Amino acid sequence: MSPRTWNFLVFGLFGAASLVAGYVARRRRWLDEELSRPIHFHTVVWIWSVPALLSLWRIPPRPENFWLLIVQPALMALAGYGIIPLAKAMRCPRKQIGVLAVAGGTSNTGFTLGAYLCFCLLQPPETALAYGMAYVITAGSAAVLLLYPVARHYGKAEGQPSTVSLGRFFLETFFDLRAMPLYSALAGIALAITETPFPGVIDRWRVIDVFFYLGSFGGYFAIGLRLRLGDTWTYTRQHALLAAVKFVATPLAAAAMLRLISLTPMPLDPVANDVIQVQSFMPAAIVSVMLANLFDLDARMASVTWVVNTVLFLLIPLPLILWWWSSQ
């Protein structure tokens, strides 16, 4: 077993153990499930902001790499906003619409799934991993701009439409502490463009690894506090809708965008092209549950929807992905 595979397995087991620990803590009544909200708040604001800055700092500022800053937010907007009228047609409650929008727009593209798959399947693996991490950091930053306002809007009480103007809505989003990952990512891009030397001590002390583990614990443990497996069959229609968006509509949209980009004078690196296509199949992200907590959406539905969508991915798209890219 390679060191990278071993590291991934350890990290994956740590995340699973954190999820189980949160679930057991609630079931045993050691902790109140409402504690999940402040845990997710501090995880997003303080812990996730550090890898956002450090990862983008190391991306080579080549012109073609900036397609990643366009494709990912475009897919996020298409899936996140596109699922809203469908959820309304299903007569989903307001807070559930917000959950589906966030879950549709965000995907598990990080080292715990999407980026690692790219590392395993694509060549050269280090380049694939770098593009994969750039993709997920871009997603986190774009979520602040595209999905935070949606989550805030649908997090309001049933039948209580927003009275805040669109301009003020975005202004409040930008000056909210929960937007910290966006500013961290922008700082990382600025450091990369100015070619500021990356401090070697960060690698020597494995700073990024520490923050990945802290972020994993904060995210999964708080989800465990909210998780109720008995709710699984309560949201059958919502699971089906989300699966159609994540595993059919989004990959097709990604393929169409990549085709258009290939016709431009500045086509993507073939490795980056494959990374985007693989990442477009990923299931709902852990951040979908975190945003449900942060913006007072239906957090119980968000937890079980995230679990079911991940299980469906493991059963259907993942074997197809492994078969297709392993045969290339």
Side-chain angles (χ1 to χ4, degrees):
M1 184 182 295
S2 71
R4 289 189 180 91
T5 301
W6 174 249
N7 289 339
F8 171 74
L9 290 176
V10 172
F11 187 72
L13 290 173
F14 177 81
S18 300
L19 179 72
V20 172
Y23 181 76
V24 171
R26 179 188 59 79
R27 290 292 300 268
R28 296 289 182 88
R29 298 188 179 182
W30 295 337
L31 295 173
D32 191 286
E33 68 178 86
E34 291 301 320
L35 186 62
S36 64
R37 183 173 285 110
I39 291 175
H40 275 165
F41 175 83
H42 292 291
T43 299
V44 168
V45 171
W46 311 116
I47 297 176
W48 282 20
S49 295
V50 175
L53 186 151
L54 298 180
S55 297
L56 286 179
W57 190 349
R58 306 183 80 164
I59 295 297
R62 299 170 184 159
E64 62 269 22
N65 286 346
F66 286 95
W67 280 120
L68 291 169
L69 304 180
I70 298 174
V71 173
Q72 214 295 325
L75 290 175
M76 178 179 288
L78 284 172
Y81 298 162
I83 204 171
I84 291 175
L86 300 175
K88 287 182 176 179
M90 289 172 49
R91 300 187 182 277
C92 293
R94 184 183 184 87
K95 292 180 183 290
Q96 289 187 14
I97 294 174
V99 169
L100 288 170
V102 172
T106 60
S107 301
N108 191 350
T109 54
F111 191 77
T112 54
L113 189 58
Y116 182 73
L117 273 178
C118 294
F119 174 75
C120 292
L121 297 176
L122 308 177
Q123 295 293 331
E126 292 79 9
T127 303
L129 181 60
Y131 281 128
M133 289 309 299
Y135 193 87
V136 70
I137 295 301
T138 301
S141 305
V144 177
L145 297 172
L146 299 175
L147 296 180
Y148 277 35
V150 174
R152 175 178 286 177
H153 174 71
Y154 284 101
K156 294 182 178 296
E158 296 279 356
Q160 182 187 350
S162 176
T163 57
V164 179
S165 68
L166 185 62
R168 183 178 175 185
F169 202 57
F170 277 96
L171 189 64
E172 290 179 355
T173 298
F174 289 137
F175 285 95
D176 194 307
L177 266 178
R178 291 168 290 193
M180 187 66 73
L182 169 64
Y183 294 109
S184 297
L186 292 175
I189 292 173
L191 291 168
I193 292 174
T194 57
E195 299 184 352
T196 303
F198 190 85
V201 67
I202 292 176
D203 286 333
R204 290 195 300 272
W205 290 359
R206 304 183 71 87
V207 172
I208 294 180
D209 297 80
V210 171
F211 275 89
F212 271 133
Y213 273 90
L214 289 174
S216 177
F217 175 79
Y220 285 114
F221 183 82
I223 287 178
L225 287 175
R226 289 282 194 182
L227 185 59
R228 283 174 168 78
L229 297 177
D231 290 343
T232 301
W233 303 112
T234 305
Y235 308 107
T236 304
R237 295 182 306 150
Q238 291 87 335
H239 296 325
L241 174 59
L242 184 60
V245 169
K246 302 299 288 185
F247 307 140
V248 180
T250 302
L252 289 175
M257 288 184 192
L258 293 173
R259 175 57 180 164
L260 291 174
I261 291 172
S262 71
L263 301 176
T264 68
M266 195 173 63
L268 269 168
D269 177 340
V271 179
N273 190 91
D274 285 346
V275 165
I276 291 175
Q277 194 64 78
V278 170
Q279 296 279 44
S280 70
F281 283 93
M282 294 304 108
I286 184 177
V287 76
S288 64
V289 185
M290 301 175 81
L291 291 183
N293 258 326
L294 293 178
F295 291 100
D296 196 28
L297 298 170
D298 190 335
R300 286 180 59 171
M301 173 191 159
S303 296
V304 73
T305 298
W306 171 74
V307 171
V308 170
N309 198 245
T310 300
V311 171
L312 290 175
F313 169 80
L314 296 175
L315 293 176
I316 304 173
L318 180 59
L320 296 176
I321 291 170
L322 294 174
W323 169 74
W324 176 259
W325 268 277
S326 296
S327 63
Q328 298 300 304

